[in-house]
Amino acid sequence: MIEFISSNRHKFVEIKTRMDECNLGITWVRMKYEEIQADTTEEISLDSAKKLSSFRGKPFFLEDTGLYITSLNGFPGPYSSYVSKKLGNQLVLKLLDDERSAVFLTVLTYWDGRSFFQFSGKLEGEISLVERGKNGFGYDPIFIPKGKDLTLAEMTVEEKNEISHRSRALNKFIEFLRTNGMP
Ligand code: IMP
């Protein structure tokens, strides 16, 4: 069983659903950890993994995700968690005019007990005019993936997993595990 460290139940459910489909076992280590404020999602993800590896005995993975809004020069990006808490979706909507494109980026970091490996996944789309949908979490009610009419919060976990930033990063990681073996 490989450990996934996160305090976020929604992330765990999305990841477990995909891992189950691939017959890969996963254990949820429900744990909150401090994240640094840095310029990139990659740095935040790697820094968290490095800190946790210093006292975790077994291989694990974690992930960090950011929402990059084009008209805001990529903001909130690595500040996504802070902005979500401070502003929330309603105030984010107020910041935007006609240009509404955005990208989700997930960077998953795996520690195999010796080395760190990173896998990233992106989802392009646009910010909706109003919040829609009750599923998911965070920015899901205001994000419409490219080529879709529904927000991520109007999709089931399986539908979100078919296209999401998180599942794209996870699929690369699963490929890595298939090639290199489970820990
Ligand atoms: P973190 O990866 O937990 O630091 O997430 C940063 C911010 O983005 C938090 O406010 C999350 O709620 C939000 N977030 C992370 N992943 C997703 C997602 O898949 N959909 C919508 N919001 C997300």
Side-chain angles (χ1 to χ4, degrees):
M1 287 275 187
I2 188 159
E3 293 186 343
F4 172 63
I5 304 183
S6 176
S7 61
N8 187 320
R9 173 178 290 279
H10 297 279
K11 287 186 179 181
F12 168 67
V13 169
E14 289 177 20
I15 285 174
K16 172 146 174 57
T17 301
R18 181 73 193 122
M19 296 284 275
D20 281 352
E21 286 167 2
C22 300
N23 294 317
L24 294 171
I26 170 177
T27 307
W28 183 22
V29 179
R30 188 177 190 171
M31 182 174 150
K32 229 180 154 58
Y33 52 85
E34 278 301 309
E35 284 182 358
I36 53 159
Q37 202 61 76
D39 287 344
T40 66
T41 301
E42 283 83 357
E43 279 175 80
I44 299 171
S45 183
L46 184 60
D47 179 82
S48 301
K50 281 187 174 166
K51 282 184 186 138
L52 290 170
S53 71
S54 66
F55 62 89
R56 302 288 312 172
K58 290 197 214 151
F60 68 83
F61 69 103
L62 52 75
E63 62 95 294
D64 192 65
T65 295
L67 175 67
Y68 292 73
I69 301 177
T70 311
S71 67
L72 303 179
N73 294 336
F75 188 77
Y79 304 96
S80 293
S81 185
Y82 181 72
V83 166
S84 183
K85 275 186 227 129
K86 266 292 195 221
L87 302 185
N89 289 338
Q90 284 302 325
L91 286 179
V92 170
L93 291 179
K94 284 197 178 161
L95 297 174
L96 303 183
D97 293 326
D98 293 346
E99 161 50 49
R100 309 187 74 84
S101 62
V103 178
F104 265 119
L105 169 68
T106 290
V107 181
L108 184 159
T109 303
Y110 170 54
W111 182 62
D112 69 355
R114 292 161 56 108
S115 307
F116 298 91
F117 302 89
Q118 290 198 299
F119 307 89
S120 62
K122 277 187 183 171
L123 176 63
E124 291 179 18
E126 62 180 51
I127 305 299
S128 57
L129 293 170
V130 293
E131 286 190 86
R132 281 176 9 214
K134 295 264 175 280
N135 301 333
F137 66 104
Y139 299 105
D140 279 347
I142 60 167
F143 191 91
I144 305 171
K146 201 171 181 174
K148 305 276 177 193
D149 296 322
L150 303 179
T151 67
L152 288 173
E154 292 174 308
M155 297 181 182
T156 61
V157 167
E158 287 79 6
E159 285 166 343
K160 183 177 173 185
N161 269 353
E162 272 174 35
I163 51 169
S164 84
H165 40 296
R166 181 163 298 104
S167 66
R168 284 177 179 160
L170 185 62
N171 286 341
K172 290 183 192 169
F173 176 45
I174 289 171
E175 207 41 55
F176 175 91
L177 290 175
R178 286 200 171 122
T179 309
N180 296 278
M182 283 288 271

